[in-house]
Each structure stands twice: as C-alpha cells, then as structure tokens.
Amino acid sequence: MSLASAPVRDARLEALLAQRGDLWRGRSGASCEAPGMATGFALLDQALVGGGWPQAGLCEILTDQPGPGLALILPLLARLGARRPWILMAAPPLLPYAPALAAAGLRLSRLLVVTRQPALWVMEQGLQAASCAAVVGWLDRGTAADLRRLQLASTQTQTPAFVFRPPPMSRQPSPARLRLQLCAMTQNRLELRLLKQRGRTATISLPL
C-alpha cells in the first residue's frame, strides 16, 4: 500500500478545510469567517473578524447604557430588511425614541417592539420564525444555556441576533459568537473592548 506524501496530504486537507467556512482553526492566522456586515464604524469593521457584524450567530453587548448600546447597531439595522421585513426589539429598558430612530434611517413601519417578558422567549420565537431581518433583546440575567438557545436559533435561521446584558455578566461564560463591552464614553467618543471573537481581541475608541 502506498501512502500519499506529506505535502499531498496537507494539500488535500487544506482543500477540505477550505470548503468548511464554519470551522475555526485555532492555530492558524487565517480566518474561515464569512464576510461580515458593515457596522457603520470603520474602526470597528477593521477590528472585527470578517470585517463587520456576523451575518448569523449571537452578538452579546455588555453595557448598562441602553442609548449608546443601541446606537452601536443602529447603522446596521437601518440597512437591513431587503430580504426580511421586520426588526424585532424585545424588552427594551426604555421605549425607543421614534424620531431618533427615524433620523438614523430606520423605517419605523418595520419595527416591532415587544415589552412583555420573558424577553428570552420573545427573542427565541422571533429568531425561529425566520421572518425578521434582525432580533435585538435586553436580558438582565440569563444563563449560558439561555444564550446557547439564542445562538442556535440565530444560526439555524441565519438571523442576526443582538443581546444587551449588564457588564457584571462578563464574568459569566458565554456561547455568543461575538462578545464586546462598552466602556468609557465621552461626548464624541465611545470606547469598547472586544472580549470574544474568533481570532483576536482588541480595545477600540470610536467617534460618535
């Protein structure tokens, strides 16, 4: 029996791996991430693997300030919707200010705001329905198993999902595909830390 030489085996393995965009190769500098969706912030796009927000999978944003947190994803929400009609917001801590959303380019006729709890259930139903361009929710608590359900539903239906949680939740393990924390904020800049993503972490200061 003849065995293929090491270079030939390596080439075959590389070819097989190149067909699997869902695999992350931890010891490789190369990324298998699908292209991301532009965030609207050039510095953030440069720092994110894929060049933007993931097209599917859960993004966890740790912050106790609902306004700046929502502002971070508003440019994306305003662009989404060509394929699916609705933007679902579950249990926002404050009723979103409609004029500000409209000024950011979000079509209010596409916005569904659900204030009833439990937010986890609302988010999961929205993701599983596969009729939302994005699902956004605010969770005060939630276990890793809860987030894993959202991550799974988001991936299965290819629906972008964003969940906001308080900063102390950073001590809890998270299955989210991307995890970041909002830090210091001034009148014109917002500093955030990338806590978890495939490939690299970073601290970024964004102009607002």
Side-chain angles (χ1 to χ4, degrees), residues 5-61:
S5 65
V8 172
R9 290 199 305 271
D10 289 347
R12 290 175 179 171
L13 179 59
E14 291 293 335
L16 288 173
L17 291 174
Q19 298 173 13
R20 293 294 304 270
D22 57 336
L23 291 180
W24 174 52
R25 300 164 62 185
R27 290 185 298 177
S28 169
S31 169
C32 295
E33 289 282 330
M37 300 177 291
T39 64
F41 302 94
L43 289 176
L44 184 56
D45 289 343
Q46 293 171 16
L48 292 175
V49 175
W53 299 116
Q55 299 198 31
L58 183 65
C59 298
E60 182 182 6
I61 300 175

Side-chain angles (χ1 to χ4, degrees), residues 93-114:
L94 301 170
L95 193 62
Y97 185 54
L101 298 181
L106 190 64
R107 287 169 49 197
L108 300 181
S109 60
R110 300 178 48 230
L111 183 61
L112 299 175
V113 180
V114 180

